[in-house]
Amino acid sequence: MATLAPSLPALATTPGVRAAAVRHLGPNWYASVMGTAIVANAGATLPVHVPGLRTVCTAVWVLSAAMLLTLLTARAAHWIHHRDRAREHLMDPAVAPFYGCLSMALLAVGAGALIVGRDWIGEPAAVAVDTVLFTAGTAIGLAAAVAIPYLMVVHHKTDGASPVWLLPVVAPMVSAAVGPLLLPRLPAGQPQQTLLIACYAMFGISLLATLVMLPLVFGRLVTAGPLPLALTPALFLVLGPLGQSTTAANKFADVAPGVLPTPYAHGFAAFAVLYGVPVMGFALLWLALAGAMVLRARRRGMDFAMTWWAFTFPVGTCVTGAEGLAQHTGLAAYRWLAIVLYVFLVGAWLVAGFHTLRGLFSGALLAAPGRGPAAPRPVTARTR
């Protein structure tokens, strides 16, 4: 069955239809979970008090957790009933990098449990949820950081670099950024030191891999011109490692005192600013460049695609990075930057979410490549 039935109730009543509906469900769908979770996580730590914001963020986190459970179930059905298609995804250079999104979805929802979820589910449950999701997300992220580049070298044939290449290598950076949340829950001494150093090591893994990939992406733009219209929003993915590494550096500075000897703790505090300020500056430069490319593509007819979720999580990492710099520099400029970027993040999340729901109900987003929904309404383009 190539297309999704027009009515969703049919999926709930017919097992065969449910299995067929997920045949073309790719790992890129985890980006919607990431984008939803970062709205909750970044909003809860904004350097400004907004009445009711934390409650809204907690509700959004619950939504992200429900989305994660739904997608995990659907993707399990995909692997059980459509292994041929799943293997095709792994061999497809345009789809395989999105396996890094599974790791980041787990990590983002797990971090949200400790940041806001604990308000509703309690501290012990939040710690348990984050421990499980952090462990699973980190293991999957490290595996993807090795396996996907291996497939790219050995099996994939590509015409040029793509921003989606960053997805598997940025996953360890997300682990590095959210791992410090668990540090106070560990016994003092070796356990805390081991986790902090492990997070710092994953920071290095992801940063150096990004420094290898990023020149290829920019070189492809300069030599081959703009990306295809539907893929243009993926340029925002470059913001992910930039914002997330700034966030991680600031988190290290938060937890290092009392965990590491004084000289190293002070070193992390200095590193948070000395590293974060120039990297955030480059992130803003890239944001302006990517934004200009997106506006150009929009004028040329770019329609909705699942790549629009790239406007959410990567921007959210820049929000948390700016929040950290606001704390460690005391500059009002970074507080305002975090607020402005968060407003953009929420707007992008609402737009992407609306179009995704519309595509699900029409059947367009779960249709086979090159096929549209059964109804005669216009179909928006999408990238798997």
Side-chain angles (χ1 to χ4, degrees):
M1 183 176 179
T3 59
L4 182 66
S7 59
L8 292 181
L11 299 181
T13 57
T14 311
V17 173
R18 285 201 303 268
V22 300
R23 176 167 176 76
H24 304 291
L25 184 73
N28 58 324
W29 280 79
Y30 286 113
S32 63
V33 177
M34 297 160 52
T36 302
I38 200 70
V39 169
N41 298 351
T45 52
L46 274 179
V48 61
H49 176 68
V50 178
L53 178 60
R54 186 173 179 88
T55 301
V56 173
C57 289
T58 306
V60 173
W61 172 77
V62 171
L63 174 62
S64 71
M67 292 169 62
L68 177 62
L69 289 173
T70 302
L71 272 175
L72 288 174
T73 302
R75 286 286 297 162
H78 173 83
W79 272 94
I80 292 172
H81 298 288
H82 306 289
R83 294 179 185 174
D84 60 325
R85 186 62 176 161
R87 287 191 292 269
E88 290 176 10
H89 282 168
L90 282 173
M91 295 299 108
D92 187 341
V95 179
F98 285 97
Y99 273 91
C101 291
L102 168 57
S103 166
M104 292 184 279
L106 294 170
L107 293 167
V109 174
L114 280 181
I115 295 173
V116 291
R118 58 191 172 92
D119 293 353
W120 288 7
I121 66 175
E123 183 82 10
V127 172
V129 169
D130 190 31
T131 299
V132 171
L133 295 184
F134 174 78
T135 303
T138 298
I140 293 170
L142 291 173
V146 175
I148 301 304
Y150 173 84
L151 291 175
M152 291 166 61
V153 172
V154 176
H155 295 289
H156 296 169
K157 304 299 179 184
T158 61
D159 296 327
S162 167
V164 301
W165 288 9
L166 293 168
L167 288 171
V169 300
V170 76
M173 187 66 78
V174 180
S175 292
V178 303
L181 290 171
L182 285 169
L183 212 67
R185 281 81 181 179
L186 293 177
Q190 287 283 323
Q192 289 187 346
Q193 293 173 0
T194 300
L195 177 58
L196 179 55
I197 295 302
C199 289
Y200 191 39
M202 288 187 287
F203 175 96
I205 290 171
S206 183
L207 178 62
L208 295 177
T210 297
L211 293 177
V212 171
M213 296 286 192
L214 190 53
L216 300 177
V217 174
F218 185 70
R220 181 254 179 259
L221 293 175
V222 172
T223 58
L227 296 174
L229 295 183
L231 190 59
T232 302
L235 289 170
F236 274 66
L237 294 176
V238 175
L239 297 175
L242 302 176
Q244 199 67 274
S245 62
T246 302
T247 301
N250 282 277
K251 294 300 182 184
F252 297 157
D254 290 340
V255 299
V259 175
L260 297 178
T262 300
Y264 299 109
H266 290 168
F268 272 119
F271 179 69
V273 176
L274 295 177
Y275 174 86
V277 170
V279 170
M280 185 57 67
F282 179 70
L284 293 178
L285 172 66
W286 190 271
L287 176 62
L289 174 63
M293 297 296 292
V294 167
L295 290 176
R296 174 188 178 276
R298 186 66 172 167
R299 287 195 301 269
R300 283 161 173 75
M302 182 189 77
D303 213 334
F304 175 72
M306 285 299 288
T307 50
W308 282 33
W309 283 99
F311 298 140
T312 57
F313 188 81
V315 174
T317 67
C318 292
V319 175
T320 56
E323 291 170 352
L325 288 175
Q327 175 186 344
H328 288 105
T329 65
L331 294 177
Y334 283 114
R335 290 197 294 272
W336 281 108
L337 177 61
I339 293 169
V340 170
L341 290 176
Y342 186 71
V343 171
F344 176 88
L345 167 64
V346 172
W349 174 67
L350 290 172
V351 171
F354 169 77
H355 284 287
T356 300
L357 286 174
R358 187 173 69 172
L360 279 173
F361 277 93
S362 71
L365 290 181
L366 292 178
R371 296 284 299 274
R377 59 186 296 176
V379 181
T380 55
R382 63 193 174 91
T383 300
R384 296 190 184 281

